[in-house]
Amino acid sequence: MRTRVLQVGHFTPPMEAALAAEFDVHPLWNESDAAAFLARSGHEFQALTTTGLVGADATLINALPALKLIASRGVGCDKIDLDTARRRGVAVSNTPGVLTDCVADTAFAMVLCAGRNLCTADRFVRRGAWVQGRFPMGTRVSGKRLAIVGLGRIGQAVARRASGFDMEVRYYGTRRNPDVSYVYEESLLELARWADFLVITAAGGPGTYHLVSAEVIAALGPDGFLVNAARGSIVDEAALVDALLNRRIAGAALDVFENEPHVPPALLGLDNVVLLPHMASSTTETFKAMEDLVLDNLRSFFREGRLLTPVC
Ligand code: 8YV
């Protein structure tokens, strides 16, 4: 009998086809009354496939009494209730590594867009404003100070890109990384004071909730830029909106928000913020690599009893 897989996050069409060819897949979104379906048939599923953005909460995990594995596409697991999974003895896999370069590319593009006003400049040309005069000056990026919050795989890839732009790099995180030569700053406030660009690449979840507080944003100062390619929950969004509205920081570039896909309406009319739809990893190549890894984790777990990229 094929392993029965409940699907709660949408995949690309080739992945949907590959998954259905090997597993007995049931998309939960086909059910008009998901709770009633789970009460009736939840016991049939051994696996749950999801994405970093959809996750799996305690209610869902507990509605699947035979669940053995949650296989997620994406590196972030902040939407998966890992405590409940551990308590229930359910294994969890994610897709680290394969998305690092594309996320770092986007994060660095955001640094350039914020400093050099590239998105505003595009809008300037489109609305015909160029014929009326010059586009205002931006801020130099090369040679400036770039601070990284969370120097994991993605943070280190951003740092490597920054080195190519002759930038000085420092970082903040839960601990100093002995394998890198960048300066470790123990105080996030001090790091923000030092930085021209503060780039967030830390993991989301309760440990980093509102880590970038009103004080940290204030410490960045009127010449500083904030770039968030990690999770909206890491930044006190209301404080950030206030700082951008009142020009207390130079600008921001945001790929993530506290209540996606909803963006604070106050940001929509501002030219000092770049707004992206959580797309840092969204390339055909990276999504294929992430989905291949989801599939390989499922195969490996149900055939050999081990995960390639276990979370727990
Ligand atoms: C994805 C992400 O867009 O990996 C993550 O944690 O936030 C993104 O890469 C998404 O989770 C892919 O399913």
Side-chain angles (χ1 to χ4, degrees):
M1 238 183 51
R2 294 198 304 171
T3 304
R4 201 131 155 74
V5 177
L6 184 69
Q7 195 182 351
V8 292
H10 288 266
F11 293 135
T12 62
M15 169 64 169
E16 301 270 343
L19 200 59
E22 281 181 55
F23 297 93
D24 182 4
V25 186
H26 190 94
L28 189 57
W29 58 84
N30 283 349
E31 297 301 325
S32 53
D33 186 343
F37 171 79
L38 289 171
R40 204 169 54 242
S41 309
H43 64 279
E44 295 170 7
F45 297 95
Q46 293 89 48
L48 178 73
T49 52
T50 186
T51 70
L53 305 187
V54 174
D57 62 16
T59 310
L60 176 60
I61 297 171
N62 287 330
L64 306 169
L67 189 65
K68 302 259 177 314
L69 171 65
I70 300 170
S72 182
R73 183 194 64 198
V75 68
C77 293
D78 50 307
K79 290 258 173 72
I80 301 175
D81 192 325
L82 295 176
D83 287 342
T84 301
R86 279 193 195 99
R87 220 177 3 256
R88 284 272 320 278
V90 174
V92 178
S93 65
N94 65 346
T95 62
V98 293
L99 79 177
T100 302
D101 283 332
C102 280
V103 175
D105 288 351
T106 309
F108 205 80
M110 290 161 77
V111 169
L112 290 166
C113 281
R116 300 300 306 273
N117 300 316
L118 299 181
C119 297
T120 322
D122 176 88
R123 292 194 291 272
F124 176 86
V125 173
R126 285 173 200 273
R127 69 170 182 269
W130 193 8
V131 290
Q132 265 115 51
R134 263 191 87 85
F135 185 68
M137 298 297 160
T139 301
R140 183 182 164 101
V141 173
S142 284
K144 290 290 185 68
R145 297 167 162 186
L146 184 126
I148 297 179
V149 181
L151 197 75
R153 266 180 288 241
I154 294 170
Q156 290 180 50
V158 172
R160 286 194 296 275
R161 283 152 181 74
S163 304
F165 284 73
D166 302 322
M167 299 179 91
E168 198 184 331
V169 175
R170 293 187 182 183
Y171 70 102
Y172 169 86
T174 39
R175 69 190 76 84
R176 185 190 303 270
N177 181 342
D179 301 328
V180 300
S181 56
Y182 312 115
V183 172
Y184 174 66
E185 179 54 76
E186 275 176 15
S187 152
L188 180 54
L189 262 184
E190 282 309 315
L191 188 71
R193 263 182 215 119
W194 171 85
D196 295 309
F197 295 88
L198 187 72
V199 182
I200 307 169
T201 53
T208 54
Y209 181 75
H210 283 197
L211 179 68
V212 177
S213 59
E215 291 72 27
V216 173
I217 294 165
L220 202 48
D223 297 325
F225 293 87
L226 183 73
V227 171
N228 191 359
R231 284 293 182 266
S233 60
I234 301 173
V235 176
D236 181 338
E237 194 167 85
L240 176 62
V241 170
D242 190 56
L244 287 166
L245 277 171
N246 295 296
R247 311 268 157 184
R248 278 185 274 103
I249 62 170
L254 309 171
D255 186 42
V256 288
F257 301 87
E258 284 206 61
N259 183 26
E260 294 173 12
H262 304 287
V263 173
L267 295 183
L268 299 178
L270 289 181
D271 265 350
N272 56 349
V273 60
V274 176
L275 303 170
L276 302 181
H278 199 143
M279 49 148 286
S281 69
S282 302
T283 63
T284 313
E285 295 89 338
T286 284
F287 263 56
K288 178 170 182 341
M290 289 198 285
E291 293 183 340
D292 285 350
L293 193 46
V294 171
L295 210 46
D296 286 343
N297 270 307
L298 279 161
R299 286 177 184 136
S300 170
F301 185 83
F302 286 104
R303 285 180 199 158
E304 293 153 38
R306 67 181 188 97
L307 286 172
L308 304 176
T309 48
V311 177
C312 68

